[in-house]
Amino acid sequence: MKKIAICPGSFDPITNGHLDIIKRASTLFDKVIVLVVINPVKTAAFTPQERAEMISVATEGMPNVEVDTYNGLLVDYLRQVGATAIVKGLRAVSDFEYEFQMALTNKMLLPYAETVFLTTSAQNMYLSSSIVKQVAQFGGDISEFVPRRLHKRIKERLGPRQGLPAGE
Ligand code: PNS
């Protein structure tokens, strides 16, 4: 039986930290589905379709990685596609409480599914989509933070001209 894992997240936008986790997950499972989950609580800079498209570009050349979008309970998606694992990256202690809570909730809802935590690579410890957005909004260099092929697109969307007017 094929082992299918889901890498869920907001990915607004995908960072090099996400990409590293996806790449490493793709060596552990037969198939990895990167799932852009719509979180109504978060205000997003990119639409779910745009985020999925950027992930597709970033994961080109990873034959067992697919991308999808979803608006619902993660465990329902796992059931639909026959996945048995959820892969998440853990950066620091600060991630732990939230991730642990989600992992236990998902375990209650779908006991056969396992959450697998991969420790983030040292160079990505500090990285998050929010940090990328903040740096880009003020015209900073995001080239070390996001996949190379997406620099231009992310800068164009988030760059200073698209940010808040001075003083706000
Ligand atoms: O990148 P994020 O925003 O930290 O990812 C959080 C995400 C999308 C994985 C989480 O919010 C999620 O799984 N949402 C789907 C709704 C759900 O299943 N909630 C119950 C598990 S806590």
Side-chain angles (χ1 to χ4, degrees):
M1 203 177 82
K2 279 197 167 183
K3 289 272 176 209
I4 304 174
I6 308 298
C7 275
S10 301
F11 302 106
D12 186 47
I14 185 170
T15 68
N16 285 337
H18 294 132
L19 192 58
D20 172 55
I21 297 294
I22 295 165
K23 218 180 268 174
R24 286 159 57 200
S26 75
T27 67
L28 299 173
F29 295 92
D30 298 311
K31 181 159 119 182
V32 171
I33 303 174
V34 185
L35 191 66
V36 177
V37 182
I38 296 148
N39 186 343
V41 179
K42 286 188 178 174
T43 312
F46 295 91
T47 67
Q49 285 67 32
E50 286 173 327
R51 287 179 256 161
E53 205 183 297
M54 288 193 286
I55 298 167
S56 297
V57 170
T59 58
E60 234 173 50
M62 296 184 207
N64 63 338
V65 175
E66 292 178 11
V67 187
D68 201 359
T69 60
Y70 188 64
N71 189 3
L73 264 187
L74 185 57
V75 290
D76 288 339
Y77 185 87
L78 266 81
R79 275 196 203 96
Q80 276 173 35
V81 298
T84 52
I86 299 163
V87 176
K88 301 283 315 237
L90 264 192
R91 281 167 302 196
V93 180
S94 54
D95 280 346
F96 186 76
E97 205 171 327
Y98 173 59
E99 293 295 345
F100 200 63
Q101 189 181 24
M102 284 198 286
L104 289 178
T105 306
N106 288 327
K107 191 78 185 159
M108 284 295 289
L109 295 171
L110 192 64
Y112 66 76
E114 296 292 347
T115 297
V116 177
F117 290 114
L118 299 182
T119 46
T120 197
S121 301
Q123 72 269 24
N124 298 322
M125 281 290 282
Y126 62 93
L127 203 49
S128 69
S129 298
S130 312
I131 288 285
V132 168
K133 282 184 273 196
Q134 209 175 100
V135 172
Q137 268 163 11
F138 290 106
D141 180 10
I142 56 164
S143 59
E144 295 297 317
F145 305 159
V146 297
R148 189 174 302 279
R149 276 181 283 176
L150 302 175
H151 289 178
K152 192 164 173 274
R153 186 170 176 168
I154 294 172
K155 262 167 57 182
E156 275 171 9
R157 171 64 61 86
L158 299 173
R161 277 170 297 146
Q162 282 70 42
L164 291 171
E168 285 193 36

